Amino acid sequence: MRLARSSVAAKPHGQKRPAASVSVASVPGASRARRPTGQAGSEGIAAGRQPSTKRRPRHLSPRAQEAGPRDQSPAELALLPPPPPPPTPATPTSSAATLELGDQKERWEAFQKRQRLTCEDAVKLLLDTFEYQGLVKHTGGCHCGAVRFEVWASADLHIFDCNCSICKKKQNRHFIVPASRFKLLKGAESMTTYTFNTHKAQHTFCKRCGVQSFYTPRSNPGGYGIAPHCLDEGTVRSVVIEEFNGSDWEKAMKEHKTIKTMSKE
């Protein structure tokens, strides 16, 4: 009698066929057994073909996902995408955390947030409000707009009308402020300087339009002389003009009691 060949004979001796197919991913903690490399047969790897070392990523069931990474093998963990980085804690837009503000820290941060200010802008606002009490911020510049500046001074300007050789020719009427109250907003590269005689006065003007909107006077080398006619409109309340005898500069400086101190804080 001829016996029919069973497909079980193709399996290795002693290996039992499982009663039912169970998905590894459906059982938490289970790991997949590796198939012996080099095994051939109807259920094995096709003849003449080498086994692939690549593993196809498997989609985990909801139960396996709930089990967490502790219930998965190292090989399965390697197939999972890397976890997202932890969220970066929100930091304030200022350096208030580095300041010793004490009980005012929360008020400071709330003030910045409400006004939408950086720490530097908030400090500038407070300084402008309280450091220059009684003063207003004037802005101005040359004719073509290449040079722009801002200056803190009184709304009631005290103007000097000098009759020295250069001031008379260019009608250099000006008021004097300390250097700390003056800020050049733009145009440093658009300016040039003219000096003569003692070279202490720095007659700066725009190279394009030729307008001198401010300069460094000989009487106050630590400050600036601002041309009132180069200020923007709206901030000057009144003007008082004082004539200064710059043609006899040394004598006029000795007789004048306040001009030397006008660039002082």
Side-chain angles (χ1 to χ4, degrees), residues 73-146:
S73 66
E76 292 172 339
L77 292 176
L79 298 176
L80 296 177
T88 304
T91 56
T93 58
S94 68
S95 57
T98 62
L99 301 177
E100 295 182 0
L101 300 177
D103 295 339
Q104 309 306 317
K105 180 178 179 181
E106 292 184 3
R107 291 183 59 196
W108 175 261
E109 293 178 347
F111 171 76
Q112 286 182 250
K113 184 177 181 180
R114 183 169 59 251
Q115 301 296 330
R116 297 181 180 180
L117 298 173
T118 64
C119 184
E120 181 180 1
D121 291 337
V123 170
K124 184 178 183 300
L125 176 62
L126 294 177
L127 288 175
D128 291 348
T129 302
F130 295 102
E131 184 182 18
Y132 299 132
Q133 290 188 16
L135 305 179
V136 298
K137 182 169 69 173
H138 305 278
T139 58
C142 67
H143 182 264
C144 69

Side-chain angles (χ1 to χ4, degrees), residues 163-255:
N163 65 353
C164 72
S165 61
I166 188 170
C167 288
K168 186 176 181 179
K169 284 184 177 292
K170 66 178 180 178
Q171 296 294 294
N172 184 31
R173 287 180 289 273
H174 59 277
F175 63 95
I176 301 173
V177 296
S180 61
R181 297 182 188 174
F182 175 86
K183 182 179 181 180
L184 181 64
L185 300 177
K186 71 171 186 175
E189 70 287 349
S190 301
M191 300 176 63
T192 188
T193 303
Y194 170 70
T195 64
F196 69 101
N197 196 11
T198 63
H199 303 284
K200 290 184 178 180
Q202 305 290 309
H203 297 273
T204 50
F205 58 94
C206 176
K207 293 185 291 186
R208 182 179 178 184
C209 64
V211 171
Q212 175 183 290
S213 53
F214 67 91
Y215 83 113
T216 303
R218 181 184 176 187
S219 62
N220 286 264
Y224 288 96
I226 311 299
H229 44 276
C230 289
L231 296 180
D232 300 332
E233 295 182 359
T235 55
V236 178
R237 183 168 52 197
S238 66
V239 170
V240 174
I241 300 178
E242 177 185 354
E243 294 184 352
F244 183 79
N245 187 21
S247 59
D248 193 356
W249 194 87
E250 285 77 9
K251 181 181 178 181
M253 286 296 294
K254 288 181 181 180
E255 294 177 351

Side-chain angles (χ1 to χ4, degrees), residues 44-76:
I45 302 174
R49 195 174 175 185
Q50 296 297 327
S52 174
T53 57
K54 295 183 180 180
R55 296 173 61 103
R56 181 176 300 176
R58 295 178 295 101
H59 297 284
L60 301 179
S61 65
R63 180 179 298 180
Q65 293 178 0
E66 294 177 359
R70 293 177 299 175
D71 296 330
Q72 298 172 3
S73 66
E76 292 172 339

